[in-house]
């Protein structure tokens, strides 16, 4: 039970809707489970122990799905950078995703240099979705925040989410990133965070995080709140707001250990997704991904609505349309550059897997699947 005395400090106000249009398309990170992961799930499903029965229920939950929102422009002191705006995720503990850190990243480099040289605080390229939770070091998942704000994001939000995941919980998770002032006089920003345990271990059912993590250009007085002790005042480049539905505090859990299958890879590796030396970004990338995403969405819709009766005339027509859509998708894929292929690869895997299962009733390994379908990297 949390500290019940009426506490000073900021509470989350009703968010205001934004009419601004974002310049670049979203993308989804819905990579398929590895063959090893599938085998582990099948083994659990066939087991009979009490622990296995509990894990069996977890395996049957919705798969992990991670989506990133459009890019937005961040202005400060005459410099502008394209940064992330939103992340939504559904995390299944037995359907892990591998993330990547920002080691060596040059994302919004001129803006980042200006932040570092013209303010009193240290800045980081903050993940909306932490790399240990499957978040990739991609422009759409990065936003400039102070080290203090990054630290509070870790303790106030990411540690509890990791703890729940380790405990076998299914989690819905949302982070919206905003620059708080339209001009470029300061770089104040906010991560609006909402995380909820929806299924899994009963001890955590209904647990919720509702917190705004404010990154401040100048030091301010603020307080840290706890579940088992009174608030503590501090001064720093960060402030935390608490929502009315929040029931999770920074001292509720110990720092989580590594969660098998969810570890991040070093930022210098290939899955750091085209953020290094990509001089064409974002124009050519945006056009190519827009068209590919539209073709993927169209094919997914056709497969979803495929009639269940394989002997009906409507089924034959639906399969013909799906085959034509797959041909169009394959043709567009072959015409794009390697940077685009890297970031769309997870969606291609998902749609090709769905296509083979729906049309041909089979699921080969990922490498065979992509090769035989003509999707080369």
């Amino acid at each position: 039970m949390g500290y019940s005395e009426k506490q000073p400090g900021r509470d989350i106000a009703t968010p205001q809707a934004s009419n601004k249009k974002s310049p670049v398309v979203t993308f989804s990170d819905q990579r398929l489970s590895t063959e090893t992961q599938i085998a582990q799930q099948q083994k659990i499903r066939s087991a009979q122990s009490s622990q296995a029965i509990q894990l069996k229920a977890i395996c049957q939950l919705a798969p992990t799905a991670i989506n990133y929102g459009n890019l937005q422009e961040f202005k400060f002191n005459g410099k502008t950078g394209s940064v992330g705006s939103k992340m939504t995720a559904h995390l299944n503990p037995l359907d892990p995703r591998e993330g990547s850190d920002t080691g060596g990243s040059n994302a919004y480099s001129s803006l980042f240099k200006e932040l570092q040289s013209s303010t009193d605080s240290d800045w980081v390229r903050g993940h909306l979705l932490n790399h240990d939770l499957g978040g990739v070091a991609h422009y759409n998942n990065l936003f400039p925040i102070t080290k203090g704000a990054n630290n509070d994001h870790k303790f106030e939000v990411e540690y509890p989410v990791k703890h729940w995941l380790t405990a076998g919980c299914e989690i819905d998770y949302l982070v919206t990133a905003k620059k708080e002032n339209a001009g470029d006089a300061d770089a104040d920003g906010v991560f609006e965070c909402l995380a909820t345990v929806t299924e899994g271990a009963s001890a955590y059912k209904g647990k919720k995080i509702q917190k705004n993590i404010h990154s401040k250009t100048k030091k301010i007085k603020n307080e840290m709140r706890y579940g088992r002790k009174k608030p503590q005042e501090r001064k720093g480049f960060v402030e935390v707001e608490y929502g009315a539905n929040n029931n999770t505090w920074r001292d509720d859990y110990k720092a989580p250990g590594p969660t098998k299958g969810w570890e991040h890879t070093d930022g210098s590796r290939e899955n750091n997704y085209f953020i290094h030396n990509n001089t064409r970004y974002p124009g050519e990338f945006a056009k190519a991904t827009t068209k590919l995403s539209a073709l993927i969405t169209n094919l997914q819709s056709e497969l979803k609505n495929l009639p269940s009766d394989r002997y009906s005339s409507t089924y034959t027509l639906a399969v013909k349309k799906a085959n034509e859509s797959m041909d169009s998708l394959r043709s567009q894929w072959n015409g794009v550059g390697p940077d685009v292929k890297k970031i769309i690869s997870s969606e291609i895997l998902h749609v090709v897997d769905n296509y083979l299962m729906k049309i041909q009733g089979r699921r080969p390994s990922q490498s065979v699947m992509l090769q035989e379908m003509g999707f080369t990297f």
Side-chain angles (χ1 to χ4, degrees):
M1 180 176 292
Y3 183 71
S4 60
E5 177 183 325
K6 186 176 181 181
Q7 301 168 335
R10 297 180 64 185
D11 292 305
I12 294 174
T14 302
Q16 300 295 316
S18 173
N19 294 321
K20 293 182 180 179
K21 293 184 178 180
S22 300
V24 181
V25 296
T26 61
F27 74 90
S28 299
D29 186 353
Q30 298 181 16
R31 289 164 281 177
L32 301 176
S33 300
T34 63
E35 291 180 338
T36 301
Q37 185 69 35
I38 293 171
Q40 289 174 343
Q41 292 187 4
Q42 291 173 341
K43 183 177 181 180
I44 291 170
R45 288 191 179 98
S46 64
Q48 297 299 320
S49 69
S50 59
Q51 183 181 12
I53 292 172
Q54 181 182 7
L55 291 175
K56 179 179 178 181
I58 295 172
C59 287
Q60 295 170 343
L61 302 176
T64 291
I66 301 168
N67 299 284
Y68 302 100
N70 292 335
L71 289 176
Q72 59 181 324
E73 297 304 304
F74 190 110
K75 299 179 180 179
F76 173 69
N77 213 17
K79 302 296 183 181
T80 302
S82 296
V83 303
S85 64
K86 188 176 183 179
M87 179 286 304
T88 57
H90 180 87
L91 305 179
N92 181 332
L94 291 184
D95 189 22
R97 299 293 180 265
E98 190 178 74
S100 53
D101 64 33
T102 57
S105 173
N106 65 352
Y108 45 87
S109 58
S110 61
L111 169 65
F112 195 76
K113 288 177 182 177
E114 186 65 26
L115 289 168
Q116 295 284 42
S117 62
S118 301
T119 66
D120 293 330
S121 179
D122 287 328
W123 293 79
V124 299
R125 295 173 171 90
H127 286 71
L128 278 66
L129 179 65
N130 181 263
H131 45 63
D132 292 333
L133 295 171
V136 293
H138 179 277
Y139 279 87
N140 297 64
N141 190 39
L142 301 177
F143 189 93
I145 57 175
T146 61
K147 283 190 175 180
N150 193 53
N151 197 52
D152 269 19
H153 189 217
K154 175 175 69 175
F155 284 102
E156 297 278 359
V157 181
E158 292 167 348
Y159 272 10
V161 169
K162 291 178 182 180
H163 182 93
W164 295 338
L165 194 65
T166 304
C169 297
E170 181 183 12
I171 303 163
D172 284 341
Y173 189 19
L174 166 67
V175 177
T176 302
K178 298 178 180 178
K179 188 174 188 294
E180 300 208 78
N181 301 306
D184 69 351
D186 66 58
D188 292 358
V190 59
F191 277 11
E192 297 177 349
C193 307
L194 180 64
T196 307
V197 174
T198 58
E199 297 291 346
S202 59
Y204 303 103
K205 187 72 177 290
K207 293 294 289 183
K208 179 171 286 192
I209 296 166
Q210 187 180 22
K211 300 174 182 178
N212 290 351
I213 312 298
H214 293 265
S215 179
K216 295 294 184 179
T217 310
K218 296 181 179 179
K219 275 189 178 181
I220 64 167
K221 286 185 178 181
N222 60 96
E223 66 181 21
M224 293 184 291
R225 296 186 187 179
Y226 298 89
R228 295 185 290 272
K229 61 183 180 181
K230 292 183 178 182
Q232 293 184 356
E233 189 176 274
R234 62 177 177 176
K235 189 174 182 180
F237 297 96
V238 59
E239 183 179 19
V240 182
E241 286 182 279
Y242 302 88
N245 296 316
N246 180 72
N247 58 21
T248 304
W249 306 96
R250 66 187 294 148
D251 61 336
D252 282 352
Y253 313 112
K254 294 180 179 179
T259 304
K260 187 175 182 180
W262 291 82
E263 294 89 346
H264 72 275
T265 57
D266 295 338
S268 59
R269 296 191 185 180
E270 186 174 308
N271 74 340
N272 212 351
Y273 293 135
F274 83 89
I275 66 175
H276 303 287
N277 304 317
N278 189 345
T279 57
R280 297 191 304 277
Y281 187 84
E284 182 181 328
F285 175 82
K287 291 178 183 177
T289 51
T290 298
K291 190 166 185 178
L292 267 173
S293 295
L295 291 170
I296 289 171
T297 300
N298 181 63
L299 180 54
Q300 286 175 329
S301 177
E302 290 178 352
L303 293 172
K304 181 179 180 181
N305 296 319
L306 200 68
S308 57
D309 184 0
R310 289 177 173 264
Y311 299 99
S312 69
S313 58
T314 55
Y315 178 81
T316 302
L317 181 60
V319 168
K320 182 181 178 181
K321 288 181 63 179
N323 286 331
E324 290 173 350
S325 295
M326 176 57 79
D327 289 340
S328 297
L329 177 60
R330 185 162 36 223
S331 177
Q332 176 66 18
W333 172 268
N334 290 333
V336 302
D339 52 352
V340 177
K341 288 181 177 180
K342 286 177 185 177
I343 202 59
I344 301 295
S345 60
S346 60
E347 293 185 68
I348 290 292
L349 278 169
H350 179 75
V351 74
V352 171
D353 177 72
N354 196 20
Y355 174 87
L356 290 174
M357 288 294 292
K358 290 274 189 175
I359 304 297
Q360 300 182 10
R362 63 195 184 93
R363 175 183 280 166
S365 68
Q366 290 183 11
S367 59
V368 172
M369 178 172 64
L370 292 178
Q371 185 176 7
E372 72 174 21
M373 294 300 294
F375 291 94
T376 57
F377 290 86

